[in-house]
Amino acid sequence: MKQRIVLLIAILMLVLAGCSSASEEPATTETAAEPVTITGTNGEVKLDAPAKKVVVLEWTYAEDLLAVGVQPAGMADIVDYGNYVNIEPQLDETVVDVGGRQEPNLEAIAAIEPDLIIGVSFRHDAMLEDLEKIAPTVIFNPYPEDESIDLYQEMETTFKEIAKAVDKTAEADKVLADLETKYEEKAAEIEAANLKTKDVILTLAYTGAQAPEIRVFTPNSMASIILERIGLNNVHQPDQYEIFGSSTFNVEGLVKYENANYLYTVPDEDNIYENQLKGNKVWENLAFVKEGRTYDLGADTWLYGGPLSAETLMNQITDVMVNK
Amino acid sequence: MHGKLNMKSFASLAGGFFLLIALSLIHLIQGQADYTVSELVSGVWVEGRIQDIVMSLRLPRLVIGLVAGGALAVSGAVLQTLTNNPLASPGTLGINAGAFFFVVISVIFFPSFLGQFPFITALLGAVLSSLLVVGLSGKQMDPVRVALTGMIISLLFSSMTGAMQLLFENQTSGLFLWGSGTLVQLNWEGVKFAAPVIAIFFVAALVLSKSMDVLSLGEDIASSLGQNVRLVKLMAWGVAIVLAAATVSVVGPIGFIGLMAPHIVRMMGIRGHFQIFAHSFLWGSVMLIGADVLGRLIQPGQEVPVGAMTALIGGPWLLYLAWKTAKSMKRGDRQMGGTTKPVRLKVLLPLLIGMIAVVITLALSFNGSEWSFEWMKPVVWNFRVPRVLTSFIVGIMLAITGVILQGVLRNPLADSSVLGVTSMAGAGAMLLLVVFPAIPSAFLPLGATLGAVLALGIILVTAWKNNFQPMLVALMGIAISAFGSAATQVFVVKAKLAVASALVWLSGSTYGKGWEDVQFALILFVLFIGPAIYITRSLDTLTFGDDVAAGLGLSIRSTRVWALIIGVAISTAAVSIVGTIGFIGLVAPHIARRLVGFRHLPLMLASGLLGGLLLVTADFVGRILIAPKDIPSGLIVALIGTPYLLYLLRKMK
C-alpha cells in the first residue's frame, strides 16, 4: 500500500516536474527584476528579485499572499486552515504541506527551494537560523508589545511588506482601497438597518474543562477595529492592556455588556451555547439572549486574519445583523 | 491526655470553621460581575439577576471548592497511611496526570463523548493511572517504590499530554487552565456528580478509620490482632482513588492540598484516623477556598488556575516535608540486580554496533515519504545528518547519566528526571521565558542550567549531613521534581501564547538540530566522558554497600558528591541540547544491566550505545510517522520506554 503511494507520488512528481520545466521557459525572457527589501521583526531582508516561490508558516500570511493573487508554494497546517479560515480565493490544491506551524518540516521546506520564507515571531524566532539556511526569511509579529500600534495597523503594514516581497504592491494597494470602499458600503448598510443598538461585543468561545471560556475582543484588536470601521461600537473596555487583543471571561463577565449586541464565533464541534450554556439561568436571562440579539458569525470566520478575513468578517456581520 | 487531645481537636475545628466561613463569604463576593456586598445581600433573596448569578455560578463554585478540597485532603491522608509515605498524595501518585491525559485525548478524538460524559472520562484516566501505580508497586507498598512508580506514571502521562497539546494546538488551547485545576462552575452538574460520590466515600473512610489505626501499628501486629490486612488495604485504596478521581474529574488536577492538609492536621496534634480524616476534610476545604480567593485577589476579573495557586504555596512545603521525613528514615540498601552471566562484550559490542549502523542508515535515508541515499545532498546534509548525529550523541549522554545516578544512589529507578534535575531545568527555562518574554530560545539552556544547579544544590545541602542516604536523595528528588513541574505549570499559564515553542522544548525535541548542535554535543561529550569513566571504579566499589566500600578505603562521601555532580552535569548538557527527554536514562542502563551485569565500565559502554540507538530510533520514528509533521522524540522515547519500564517494575517484586 505504502509503496504504491510512494510510487504514485513519484509519478506525480515527474509529471509536475515536466510541466514546470515547460512553463518556466518564457519566464526567463522577462525583464530582469529589481531587488526588493522588506522589513520584519528580524530586520531588513534583501531579495535579489521579487519572490516567486514563497513558503508561509502562519495562516494569516498565506491569506496576505492569496489577497494579491499569489499562491504560496508551501504552507504549514493546511488541513486546520481549511477548518478555521473561510476566504476567497481559496488555497490551491498544489500547495505543498510543510508540516505543523510549530515545528514545520525543514526538509520539506528546503525541497521546495523557496525564494522566501515567512514566519511569525511567537513560533519561529527559535528556528530563524535554520530557516535562513534554506532561504531568506522574514518574521512578523502580529501582537506588538508597543501599545501605540493597534493590531489593524500591524496587519496592514505586514500585508504591504508581503505584497512588496512578491512585487504586487499595486495589487495590495487596490485590495486595501477596495477594503476601504467596502467599509463604507457596509457602514451604510448598518446605518440604514436601524439597529436597536450599535453597541456590540465580539467573542470567540471554546470549552476549557466543563466551563466555557469566552474571549472578548478588546478595542485594540484587529477584529474590533473592523467592527468600528463599519459603524459598530465595541463596548468592551479591558481592565488591563491585552497584548493578544482579548480578555477571557466566563458568563458572569458578560453581564455588564448585556445591552449590547452579542457577536460570536464558536467551533461547530464545540458549541458551548448549545451544550454547556443551554439552560443556564444567567446566560438565558442576559438581555441580548432574551431579546434575540446574539449573532453567529460562523465557525470559520477567522478573527486573526488579514484583509480577506476582514472582508469575510464584515460580510458575515451584515448578513446576520441586517439581512437576517 | 484525653482532655488535652479534645482541646486540640476543638481548637482545630473551631479555628477551621471560622476560617472557612470567612473565606467562603469573601469567595462569594468575588466575581467578574461587579456587585457590592450590600447589593448581593439584598439581591440574593429575590428572583433576578443577582440571585441567578449567586445560585447558578458562584455558589456551585464555592461548594465544589469545599467538597474538592476536603476530598483531596482525605484522599491524601488515606494514601499517606497506606503507603507509610508522608509524601503520598493524589498528585504525587500520578492520578492527576492520568486523568488529565484522558481528558485531552477525548477533547481531540471524541469531543462529543467528553461533552456528554466529562466526569466519566476523567474518572477512567484517574482509575487507570492509580491502578497502574498500585499494580506496579508490588504488594509491599514500599514507600520509595510507590512514590517512584507514581513519578514514572506521571512522567509518562504528562509527556503524552504535552505532545497531544503540541499536535492539536487549536483543539486543546482551552485546556491549559483546566490542566492546572480550576473551580469554575457553570451549573450544579459538577456538584451533583461529585458531592454524593465524595460524601459516600468520605463516610467509608471514617468507617475504615478504626482499622487504619490498627494498620498503622504495622502489618504484623494488625494481622496478629485478627485484622484482614489485605482487605482493609484494598478498601482504603479504593476510597482514596475514588475520592481523588471524582475530584480531578470535576475541577482538574489540583496538587498539594492532599499533601499539606493531613500534615497540618497532624502538626496540630490531632491523632487517630477518625479525627485525622474529619479534620483533614475541614482544612482541605479551607486551603482550597483560600487558594481560590487568593488567586482572584491577585488578578481580579481574570482566572488564575487554583491548582497553580496551591502549587505556589505547596511546593516549598513539600521540599521541607521531604527533608524532614527522610531524616528519620532508616537506611535502605537495595540490590541493583543485573545478570550474573554477562554476555561477553566481544559478542555484544559488534551486535550493538551492527544494529546502530542499520538504524542510522535507515534514519539517514528516509524522510517519511521518499528514500534517498544521497546523504551529501544539501537538504539531507544540512538537516537530516546533523539531526541524526545529535540524537545519537545525546542518547549516549542520557544513558550514561542514568548509569551514574543509579549507581551512586543504588536505586534502580533513579535518573535525572526522578532526581528532579530535569523538571527543575524545565522550570528554570520557563521562568526565563516568563521574565524575559522576548528572549531568544538559544538562551533557554541558561535557565535550564540554573534550574538544574539549584536542584543539585538542594540535594547536596539537604543530604550532606546524612551521608547521602539513597532514600533521602530519592525523596528529595521527588519533592524537587514535583515542585519543578508545578512551577512549570504556573509559568505555562502565565506565558500564554508564547508557550507553544516552550512546550516543544519542554517535551524534548530533536527537531531542527544543525551542525552547531553536533559540535556542541560532541564537545560536551568529550569533556564529560573522561570523568564518567573514571568514576566507574568507585561506583563498582559502592555496589558492595557503604560499609564494605569504606573498608576498602573508598571515601564514600566524596565519591557520592562527585558522581552526583558528574551525573547532573551530563544530564544538564543533554537537556540544554534537546530539552527534557526522560526515560532513556532510566531504560538503557536496565537493558544493559541485564546484558552485561553490574560492573560499571562495560555497563556504561553498553548502555551508552543502547541510549544512542534508542534516541536515533525515536527521532526517526517521530519524523516519519505523520510526515511532514513531527512528533517530539521525547514522546516517542516515552512510548518505547514505558512498556519496558512497566515490565521491569513487575519483575522487580
Side-chain angles (χ1 to χ4, degrees), chain A residues 216-237:
Chain A
V216 183
F217 284 80
T218 57
N220 72 319
S221 68
M222 191 193 74
S224 172
I225 291 160
I226 295 168
L227 294 180
E228 305 270 350
R229 297 290 296 272
I230 59 173
L232 297 171
N233 175 33
N234 182 359
V235 288
H236 173 47
Q237 294 294 337

Side-chain angles (χ1 to χ4, degrees), chain B residues 21-181:
Chain B
I21 288 166
L23 287 169
S24 300
L25 288 177
I26 301 176
H27 192 267
L28 281 176
I29 294 167
Q30 291 176 314
Q32 286 180 348
D34 297 320
Y35 291 115
T36 61
V37 179
S38 59
E39 277 174 326
L40 280 171
V41 172
S42 57
V44 74
W45 311 107
V46 290
E47 217 167 287
R49 172 62 39 75
I50 291 180
Q51 195 187 44
D52 284 350
I53 285 185
V54 172
M55 294 306 290
S56 62
L57 292 174
R58 293 191 183 178
L59 212 52
R61 181 173 185 155
L62 175 65
V63 174
I64 204 70
L66 297 176
V67 175
L72 286 171
V74 174
S75 174
V78 174
L79 289 171
Q80 284 167 16
T81 300
L82 269 180
T83 58
N84 191 21
N85 184 344
L87 294 174
S89 76
T92 40
L93 293 189
I95 295 175
N96 290 347
F100 187 44
F101 176 67
F102 265 55
V103 169
V104 169
I105 287 292
S106 61
V107 160
I108 297 165
F109 299 107
F110 316 101
S112 59
F113 181 80
L114 183 76
Q116 283 174 310
F117 311 104
F119 309 131
I120 298 175
T121 311
L123 193 68
L124 280 177
V127 170
L128 176 77
S129 55
S130 29
L131 281 181
L132 277 175
V133 174
V134 176
L136 293 170
S137 306
K139 282 189 200 115
Q140 284 78 34
M141 286 295 154
D142 174 59
V144 171
R145 184 173 176 142
V146 171
L148 287 173
T149 313
M151 270 290 301
I152 291 164
I153 300 288
S154 277
L155 198 67
L156 167 70
F157 280 122
S158 49
S159 70
M160 296 201 293
T161 305
M164 285 299 162
Q165 287 178 326
L166 275 179
L167 290 177
F168 302 92
E169 194 187 345
N170 285 321
Q171 290 91 325
T172 56
S173 63
L175 286 175
F176 279 131
L177 189 67
W178 193 81
S180 327

Side-chain angles (χ1 to χ4, degrees), chain B residues 570-589:
Chain B
I570 301 179
S571 100
T572 311
V575 168
S576 74
I577 301 169
V578 296
T580 55
I581 292 182
F583 285 100
I584 287 190
L586 215 49
V587 171

